[in-house]
Amino acid sequence: MTVTLEITQGLAAGRSFELRGDGFSIGRRAGNDVVLEEAHVSGDHCRVAREGDRVVVTDLGSTNGTTRVRRDDRVRMSAESPTADLESGDVIELGSGDAVTTLRVTIADEGEDSHVLTMTKLDAMPSVSRREADPNVLSKLYAAQKRIGLATDLEHVLEAVAESALELLPSATHVTIVLSDDDQPKNESSAFVPVLTRVRAPDGSVARSTAPIPIARSVYRKVVKERAAVLAADAPRDVGESESLMGASIRSTLGVPLWRGEEILGVLQADNRNAPGMLTPTDVELLLLLASNASLAVSSARLIKRLQTAEENLKKENVFLKGREEKRRGGGKEVVIIGRSEAMQSLTRQLERVVDTRVTVLVEGETGTGKELVAAAVHYRSRRRDKLFVAQNCAAISENLLESELFGHKKGAFTGASDDKKGLFEIADGGTLFLDEVNSTSLSLQSKLLRALQEGEIRPVGATTAKHVDVRIVAATNRDLEELVAKGEFREDLYYRLKVFPLRIPPLRERRDDIPVLATHFLARYSQELGKPAGGFSQQALELMMSYEWPGNVRELQNEVQRLVIQLEPGNFVTPELLSPHIKKALGVVAKASVPKGTLREMMDTVEKYLLLETLREHGQNKTSAAKGLGITREGLHKKLRVHGI
C-alpha cells in the first residue's frame, strides 16, 4: 500500500509527502522526515508508520498534542494512549486551538487505481446466466455441480470447486480460493484469507502444490471492494506491477466473488503463470457461473462446520460438567450416602424403592443434613442418570427472578430480557430438577409449580404457548410444610403433590453412631485434597465429637474436619486440644461425670447438670419427653435448665 500526507493547513500548505520504508517522523527539528517550522509543532512531534496491514500515527510526547480526526470522531492522543489507527481520508491535527497544522492522509492498496481489462458486476449475473443454455457449458457445469454436490465437508467442497475451475478454464494454471475470516468484519480486504490452491500438472491433471504458492492480494481485494468479477489479461500491466503479482509470476489473472445475498463469502481466483493474455472475458463468465452454483455449497459447508464444532464443544462441555458434578457427589451410580445407623439404613432402603419410579420425592430434614446429596442419589441411581441433574435453591433469589429461572422467558418479557432464555425445567428435560427450600416459594409461583407437576407443561414468562417437559421433581424443605399449610403460607394441593414419597433425613444428633464414620470419611477426603496425611482421631477426640449436639449437622461436621486437617501437622492424630472450643466445652461436661472433689452442693450440681444434658440428648432434645423420663414436669425442667445455664 502507498501512504501519502498532504499538508492542508499551515506554512507548508499544498506540499505532499509519500511514505517510504516503514514510516516517517514529523516535527520542527531538522532531522525529521517532514520538517514543519510552526512554533506550535514540537521538535519531535509525531510519527506515521506501517504496522502490518495497519497505518498508525503515534504522538512522541509533543507539547501541544496530536489529534486524529475522522468525520465527526476526534481522537486526541495521550501518554496513556499515544497511538491511533489511520484510514484514507483521515486528518492529523498538530497543536490545539487556533494554532493547528493539519495533514490529510491518503492510503491506496496495491494496484487499486490501476486499469482493469474487464470487470463484471454481480448485478450483471442475469445476462451471464444465459450462457448456461450453451450445451458445452451446460455439460461442464453439470459435471462440476455433481462433483461439488458429492462433497461431504468444507475441505472437500473447496477441493471440488478448485478442481472444477481448472477443468472449466483450460487456460488457467493455478486456482486459489480465498475465504472471509469469520472472526473479522465482512467485506474488508484484511478479513479474507487464502485457504486452498490447486495447480495444473504438466500432464494436465489437477494436483496439490508441493511448495507455497504466492497469490495476488490486489486482485481479490478489488473483487471484494467492487463486488465484481475482475479480469487482468496481462496482470503486471493492467493491475500494476505490485509486489504480490511480480512475486507470484502471474501473467494473467481473474477473480470472481463467492457470495450469499449481500455478503461476500470469498473469492475464486484463477491465474495463468506462463503467458499473458491467456484468460478472456468468456472465462470470466464461465467462472461466474461456477461461482454462483458453488457459493451455496461453500456457505452451507461453512455453516455445517460451525455447527459441528459448536456441537462438539457442547458435548465436551456437557461431559466435563456432568463428570465434575458426579465426582463432586461421589460418582455416577455410586453416589455415596455414608451412615451405618439404623436410621440411615432405613433411609437407603426407602430410596432404593423409589429411584426408578416417576413419583415426586420430598426430602425433609434440618439444614446441613445432606438433602441435596439424597436428591442426587435419587437421580444418579435411576434410569435418568444419563440426563442432567439440575439444582435450584428457591430461597436464594427473588420471586420474579425465580420464575424466570425455573420456566424461562421470552425476549422483551420484562426489562432486561434482551434474549430468549431456557428455564431449568426445560434444561432438565429427561432428567431431574431438585428444588431446595421449596417452602420459600410464593403462593403465585406455587400454582405454576403445581401445573408443571400435574400437566408436565411450563409456560415461559411472556410466552403465549406452553411447552411439554419430562422432568422428575425432587423437592426439599427444612420446615414443616404441614404447619405452613395450616397457616395458609403453602398451598395444600401442592403439598400433597410434593409429598407423594417423603424421605426424612435424621439430624446428626439422632444418629451419633455415624459421627465417627463421617469424620473419618471427611478426614481422608481433605487429607488427599490438601496433600496432608493424617493419622486419624484419638479416642478422646471422637468421644468429644460424639457428645456434641452438631446443630449444623453434617455440614458443620464437614467444616470442622476441614479446619482440623488445615491445622494438623502431617501424620499426626487429631487430639482434643485441636477441636473447636464449643465442642471441647460440651465434652467437658461428660468428663465431669466422675464428680470432682468439692462441697456437696457443687458435686450435686455437677451430677444434676450432667444428667439433664444426657437425658435431653437421649430424647432428641424433646423437653416434654425428657421431663417425663426424669419424672418432673416440663416447667420444672425449664427451671432447672435456667439454673444451670443450659
Side-chain angles (χ1 to χ4, degrees), residues 481-613:
L481 288 185
E482 193 168 352
E483 182 180 333
L484 294 179
V485 170
K487 293 179 179 179
E489 298 177 7
F490 201 86
R491 289 181 62 108
E492 185 175 11
D493 46 5
L494 179 59
Y495 166 67
Y496 288 117
R497 187 74 188 185
L498 290 175
K499 201 170 182 177
V500 176
F501 196 93
L503 292 174
R504 179 182 177 272
I505 307 178
L508 201 51
R509 62 181 176 273
E510 294 182 12
R511 50 183 183 112
R512 293 180 184 272
D513 291 346
D514 291 335
I515 292 175
V517 181
L518 287 165
T520 303
H521 167 76
F522 291 133
L523 186 71
R525 171 179 168 181
Y526 290 117
S527 294
Q528 182 180 10
E529 285 186 10
L530 300 175
K532 254 180 149 181
F537 292 93
S538 69
Q539 181 177 349
Q540 192 177 10
L542 277 179
E543 288 175 353
L544 280 168
M545 296 172 73
M546 291 182 69
S547 300
Y548 179 57
E549 294 300 308
W550 299 105
N553 292 295
V554 178
R555 185 181 296 125
E556 184 184 1
L557 175 61
Q558 180 178 354
N559 293 339
E560 174 69 13
V561 174
Q562 185 178 25
R563 187 190 63 78
L564 289 170
V565 174
I566 291 172
Q567 62 179 353
L568 190 67
E569 291 297 326
N572 286 3
F573 281 79
V574 176
T575 52
E577 60 270 15
L578 295 176
L579 297 172
S580 297
H582 55 278
I583 298 177
K584 288 187 288 187
K585 181 179 178 181
L587 195 61
V589 176
V590 179
K592 291 176 183 177
S594 59
V595 188
K597 290 182 179 181
T599 65
L600 179 61
R601 179 58 182 266
E602 290 173 345
M603 290 187 291
M604 291 298 293
D605 285 345
T606 299
V607 172
E608 186 176 70
K609 186 174 183 180
Y610 171 72
L611 291 174
L612 289 171
L613 287 167

Side-chain angles (χ1 to χ4, degrees), residues 470-487:
D470 173 23
V471 178
R472 171 79 172 280
I473 298 295
V474 179
T477 177
N478 57 7
R479 296 188 60 185
D480 187 342
L481 288 185
E482 193 168 352
E483 182 180 333
L484 294 179
V485 170
K487 293 179 179 179

Side-chain angles (χ1 to χ4, degrees), residues 396-463:
I397 55 179
S398 66
E399 176 188 350
N400 292 337
L401 289 177
L402 181 58
E403 182 179 357
S404 171
E405 194 70 17
L406 293 177
F407 302 113
H409 63 249
K410 302 297 288 183
K411 180 179 180 181
F414 51 84
T415 302
S418 56
D419 295 291
D420 289 354
K421 176 185 176 181
K422 286 186 177 181
L424 297 183
F425 269 93
E426 193 171 353
I427 291 172
D429 193 13
T432 303
L433 176 59
F434 173 54
L435 300 177
D436 196 8
E437 297 193 51
V438 71
N439 52 278
S440 301
T441 56
S442 66
L443 290 174
S444 62
L445 185 58
Q446 288 171 26
S447 64
K448 296 175 182 178
L449 283 174
L450 180 63
R451 177 176 175 80
L453 288 170
Q454 289 178 334
E455 309 297 335
E457 290 183 347
I458 59 167
R459 179 173 293 180
V461 179

Side-chain angles (χ1 to χ4, degrees), residues 386-399:
D386 293 330
K387 300 295 183 179
L388 288 179
F389 173 80
V390 181
Q392 174 62 50
N393 188 325
C394 298
I397 55 179
S398 66
E399 176 188 350

Side-chain angles (χ1 to χ4, degrees), residues 612 615 619 623-637 640:
L612 289 171
T615 304
H619 290 273
K623 294 176 182 177
T624 301
S625 177
K628 289 181 181 179
L630 290 169
I632 60 177
T633 64
R634 195 173 191 276
E635 291 74 16
L637 176 61
K640 288 182 180 295

